[in-house]
Amino acid sequence: MTDITWTNDTRKLSELVPWENNPKRMSKKQADGLRLSLQKFGYAIPVLISPVDNELYDGNTRDRIMLAMEEYGPDAILDVRVSSRPLTDDERRELVVRLKQNQAGWDFD
């Protein structure tokens, strides 16, 4: 069992600190799709952050796109999930990969 727990909290969008070494990249088409999703459904999935400095573990692209949207802006209050302790660099990288890889496939039939 892990020693990491997560709690719900809120932060201003401007208080979130991008992860400088975030390995994920988004194409313009993907960014446009995320922007459309945020416009249509709003901010539905909280970002994950460090308890020390509000650095983002997961949600870097949502953060950047929301800052550029007039519907949000730097003073928007967002729900966040805060880890009980800072993650190591290795834990952070593994978390980001697992969050995106360990998802079910589609079956619309």
Side-chain angles (χ1 to χ4, degrees):
M1 185 70 175
T2 183
D3 66 324
I4 304 166
T5 57
W6 298 88
T7 55
N8 298 322
D9 208 338
T10 59
R11 297 289 189 281
K12 282 186 179 181
L13 184 55
S14 61
E15 294 174 331
L16 302 178
V17 178
W19 176 19
E20 186 176 312
N21 297 317
N22 180 20
K24 291 184 66 187
R25 299 294 176 261
M26 182 173 270
S27 69
K28 179 169 178 3
K29 181 178 178 180
Q30 291 168 318
D32 290 344
L34 179 53
R35 185 176 294 104
L36 178 63
S37 177
L38 287 164
Q39 288 169 335
K40 186 170 184 174
F41 299 107
Y43 175 75
I45 300 173
V47 297
L48 307 180
I49 64 170
S50 166
V52 176
D53 55 9
N54 294 330
E55 189 171 34
L56 289 156
Y57 293 141
D58 182 60
N60 285 273
T61 50
R62 279 175 282 158
D63 173 70
R64 298 294 101 200
I65 288 174
M66 285 188 293
L67 276 171
M69 296 172 66
E70 65 181 63
E71 294 96 319
Y72 293 96
D75 291 329
I77 302 295
L78 302 179
D79 293 323
V80 297
R81 298 275 291 156
V82 184
S83 62
S84 56
R85 66 165 175 78
L87 302 183
T88 67
D89 287 340
D90 286 342
E91 287 173 326
R92 178 189 297 216
R93 281 191 294 274
E94 183 176 354
L95 172 66
V96 170
V97 169
R98 289 187 180 279
L99 286 173
K100 304 310 175 201
Q101 280 186 339
N102 297 343
Q103 297 181 359
W106 302 100
D107 182 2
F108 290 112
D109 293 331

